[in-house]
Amino acid sequence: MSKLGKSIYKKVQKWHKYIGISISIVLVWMSISGILLNHPNLIAGVGVNQNFIPDDYLPQNWNRGGILDAVHIGSDTIFLAGKQGIWKSINKGKSFSSAMNNGFPEEIFYQKTNDLLYLKHENSLFAATFGGVYKLNLLNNKWCYIPTKSSNKEQFVKLLKVKNNLFAVSQSGIYLYNNSTLLPQNLLKDKRTTMNLIQFTFALHSGWLWGTTGRVIYDFVALILIFLSITSLYITFRKKVKIEDKTKRKKRNNRLGFMIKYHTQIGVWTSLILLIIGGTGLFMRPPLLVALVGGKVPLKYIPSSINYNPWYHTIRNALYDKKTDRIVFDTTEGIYEGNSNLESSFTKTDWDVNIFVMGATVFEPLANGHFLIGSFYGLFDYQRGDNFSIDVITNLKTPKYSSLQRPSDYMVMSHFSHPDSTNYITTFQQGLLALNQPKHNSYYAVPHQLIENYRMPLWNYMFELHNGRLFHFFMNKWGILFIPLISLLFIILTISGVYEYGYRKKSKIKKFFKKH
């Protein structure tokens, strides 16, 4: 070994050791949370007690998506739907109680509801939830699940009344409600040549780029990462006590040898996929997420299982425009619109309105032919064809941003109107806010039942843990750098481990290449 080579080797050895020690516990929780996030159905019914949740995450004034839609029926009855399920008032909003009984999903994850639609002639309320579409018979107060042909639970994002038809829009397609079932419709799309780079990166990070098979492979890799983390701690912190008994000493040495051998070999064998996970993790959160905005990946690099449905996991919101008789989708790839009869392809169109990278949270047509568009950028009044929109909160003209911007102070989650003409929005942080002076009979009291018995779905808890946001309460503004930093250290850890192995085995590697 040359002196320089040996010096570099020793430095790399130290990097691998001390970086491994410093992030091993983080890698264990990342692996466990990653496995659970890949299989929401396994933990859908599990909630986390509020004693284990930072105060910022507790429901206050309908914040954090507590209200995503509101339906007023008659003069007294109000239904509110959101991330904490569906709540009902029979006294004009002065108090609310749970409407999640008599057939509604018992699993807390699937109770999350994106949209409501009231059909007066059926005396029924429809709910688009994370676990499918449900229908409430207002006469007997019983919910029933509206089945699809698929056995898999699907997240629905919007319900659309189109002429005499009811359509349910999921993340991956559109269904027609007919005879108490949801019939999948053939949703045509202009020839797709690329995939959104952000969506591609998230899919590559979790394994769902290859469907169920990919997720299972990534689960196995996560278990390997747990093994690597635990063995690294054992190898470093084992008690170095002299053992007189030869049999016990031999057992200890065999155990240590086993761990060193397989920690090294398995780490090298899986290094490529570990680098993919670490490299994609580097771009999962700001500030490096900005680099992915507007990026495209050619379809030739996308597995055929995803190409089979060009809408797969791309639809974020939808609306029906009566004026033009067209359905419009907000997707991860932009705005698409097409005829309501669904007979022709939906085409991508440019709307000069600002929509945050996470998608439109408000997506509604207005009576004057304009559209109301809300996201974490705020709330905007937009007219098709204009090169600007009007900020509803500030009443200022706002051009379309040329690059990703910071979220607004008012990260809008929903918009709805009270029968007395008071307009409301809910925001991620502040919760329920009135856009004009409320009348004396306008109420939306947060139910005590929600505050006292709140549990966060375990899937959401794991998601916040996995992306590091759960620790912002003590990391403050530096919390945004937590995931990029851990990802960078993980990449260095993986590369240094492979370098160590290659340096020790360089003579064997040279012989191998000479023979071949």
Side-chain angles (χ1 to χ4, degrees):
M1 294 184 183
S2 69
K3 287 185 178 180
L4 179 61
K6 195 171 183 179
S7 175
I8 293 173
Y9 171 73
K10 286 186 175 180
K11 285 182 180 179
V12 171
Q13 224 178 7
K14 286 183 179 180
W15 293 348
H16 188 74
K17 177 181 178 179
Y18 292 112
I19 291 175
I21 293 171
S22 63
I23 68 171
S24 57
I25 300 300
V26 178
L27 294 180
V28 169
W29 97 49
M30 287 290 185
S31 300
I32 294 172
S33 59
I35 292 171
L36 295 176
L37 289 173
N38 259 350
H39 304 281
N41 56 308
L42 298 180
I43 57 173
V46 183
V48 178
N49 189 285
Q50 57 185 276
N51 292 330
F52 303 99
I53 302 171
D55 290 344
D56 288 350
Y57 285 82
L58 299 178
Q60 300 172 27
N61 192 36
W62 299 110
N63 64 339
R64 291 183 169 268
I67 301 177
L68 296 180
D69 198 11
V71 169
H72 298 78
I73 301 174
S75 58
D76 298 323
T77 303
I78 305 171
F79 285 92
L80 301 178
K83 300 297 185 185
Q84 285 94 46
I86 301 178
W87 301 84
K88 179 182 179 182
S89 173
I90 55 174
N91 57 7
K92 300 182 179 181
K94 294 177 182 178
S95 64
F96 284 86
S97 59
S98 173
M100 296 171 285
N101 41 45
N102 296 332
F104 201 71
E106 294 182 0
E107 301 92 342
I108 189 171
F109 179 76
Y110 294 131
Q111 289 176 349
K112 296 191 293 183
T113 304
N114 287 316
D115 195 32
L116 296 174
L117 183 67
Y118 171 57
L119 291 185
K120 187 175 181 179
H121 68 278
E122 285 198 18
N123 204 16
S124 298
L125 182 74
F126 292 79
T129 78
F130 274 53
V133 177
Y134 287 80
K135 175 184 175 182
L136 175 65
N137 185 323
L138 294 173
L139 294 177
N140 60 21
N141 199 38
K142 290 185 178 180
W143 291 96
C144 65
Y145 173 69
I146 304 176
T148 65
K149 290 184 178 180
S150 174
S151 58
N152 297 324
K153 287 189 179 292
E154 193 167 3
Q155 181 184 151
F156 282 79
V157 298
K158 199 66 172 283
L159 300 165
L160 301 177
K161 185 72 169 63
V162 180
K163 300 174 183 175
N164 295 321
N165 294 320
L166 171 61
F167 287 102
V169 181
S170 75
Q171 291 180 314
S172 304
I174 190 168
Y175 295 78
L176 175 65
Y177 174 68
N178 186 39
N179 293 327
S180 298
T181 59
L182 290 175
L183 305 176
Q185 303 299 292
N186 185 25
L187 192 58
L188 302 173
K189 187 177 185 180
D190 267 0
K191 187 177 179 181
R192 187 187 187 197
T193 58
T194 62
M195 182 179 183
N196 178 281
L197 182 56
I198 293 178
Q199 185 187 23
F200 175 82
T201 303
F202 276 63
L204 184 60
H205 183 78
S206 66
W208 73 254
L209 191 65
W210 297 277
T212 302
T213 302
R215 293 186 182 191
V216 171
I217 291 173
Y218 272 52
D219 292 343
F220 183 66
V221 173
L223 293 174
I224 287 174
L225 190 52
I226 293 172
F227 170 79
L228 296 175
S229 300
I230 293 174
T231 53
S232 72
L233 292 174
Y234 177 83
I235 293 167
T236 304
F237 296 111
R238 72 190 187 282
K239 289 184 178 180
K240 299 179 182 179
V241 179
K242 187 176 180 180
I243 300 176
E244 298 295 338
D245 187 285
K246 289 184 178 180
T247 303
K248 290 182 178 180
R249 186 167 66 243
K250 185 178 180 181
K251 284 184 179 180
R252 184 193 67 177
N253 292 339
N254 287 342
R255 182 166 60 247
L256 179 61
F258 171 86
M259 289 194 177
I260 292 175
K261 177 182 177 180
Y262 287 103
H263 175 91
T264 303
Q265 290 186 357
I266 293 174
V268 171
W269 293 339
T270 59
S271 59
L272 180 59
I273 193 167
L274 292 177
L275 284 172
I276 291 173
I277 293 172
T280 52
L282 195 63
F283 293 90
M284 299 292 282
R285 297 272 292 137
L288 293 182
L289 178 66
V290 176
L292 305 182
V293 175
K296 305 292 181 184
V297 178
L299 277 192
K300 63 182 179 180
Y301 300 116
I302 310 301
S304 57
S305 58
I306 289 184
N307 283 339
Y308 179 75
N309 178 6
W311 301 98
Y312 182 71
H313 275 223
T314 64
I315 302 174
R316 304 181 298 196
N317 215 322
L319 63 83
Y320 171 60
D321 181 12
K322 286 184 180 180
K323 187 176 180 181
T324 60
D325 191 28
R326 294 171 74 80
I327 293 175
V328 186
F329 296 123
D330 168 45
T331 78
T332 57
E333 298 167 357
I335 303 294
Y336 280 80
E337 57 179 291
N339 294 328
S340 68
N341 57 22
L342 307 181
E343 293 179 358
S344 57
S345 294
F346 277 63
T347 58
K348 189 175 181 179
T349 183
D350 291 326
W351 282 23
D352 288 324
V353 61
N354 296 305
I355 298 176
F356 192 63
V357 66
M358 294 167 61
T361 50
V362 178
F363 204 60
E364 301 291 346
L366 297 174
N368 60 2
H370 293 202
F371 300 93
L372 193 63
I373 311 296
S375 73
F376 276 17
Y377 279 147
L379 187 66
F380 301 94
D381 182 323
Y382 175 71
Q383 183 176 11
R384 187 191 272 113
D386 285 348
N387 61 0
F388 64 89
S389 56
I390 303 296
D391 188 317
V392 174
I393 297 174
T394 65
N395 204 35
L396 296 175
K397 280 187 178 182
T398 308
K400 190 173 183 179
Y401 303 141
S402 58
S403 61
L404 183 66
Q405 303 292 312
R406 292 180 62 84
S408 165
D409 291 336
Y410 299 99
M411 296 184 284
V412 172
M413 298 292 294
S414 68
H415 170 274
F416 62 94
S417 298
H418 190 274
D420 68 8
S421 300
T422 304
N423 287 302
Y424 288 92
I425 59 170
T426 61
T427 67
F428 187 75
Q429 293 178 327
Q430 298 91 344
L432 184 66
L433 302 171
L435 293 178
N436 53 317
Q437 184 62 41
K439 303 291 178 63
H440 68 280
N441 61 342
S442 184
Y443 304 99
Y444 298 97
V446 180
H448 293 293
Q449 182 183 355
L450 172 60
I451 296 173
E452 294 171 1
N453 302 324
Y454 175 72
R455 294 182 304 143
M456 177 185 278
L458 180 58
W459 189 94
N460 292 85
Y461 192 82
M462 289 293 105
F463 183 73
E464 297 299 306
L465 185 68
H466 196 77
N467 63 35
R469 283 200 297 251
L470 205 62
F471 304 103
H472 279 204
F473 70 96
F474 70 85
M475 298 177 72
N476 296 320
K477 63 180 181 180
W478 300 108
I480 196 171
L481 299 177
F482 179 76
I483 292 301
L485 179 60
I486 293 298
S487 299
L488 181 60
L489 291 174
F490 180 52
I491 292 169
I492 295 172
L493 179 69
T494 305
I495 294 174
S496 62
V498 173
Y499 178 86
E500 270 192 74
Y501 178 83
Y503 191 85
R504 291 197 303 268
K505 303 289 184 180
K506 65 179 180 179
S507 58
K508 289 186 178 181
I509 294 171
K510 285 180 180 179
K511 287 180 182 179
F512 174 82
F513 281 107
K514 281 182 179 179
K515 287 182 180 180
H516 297 81

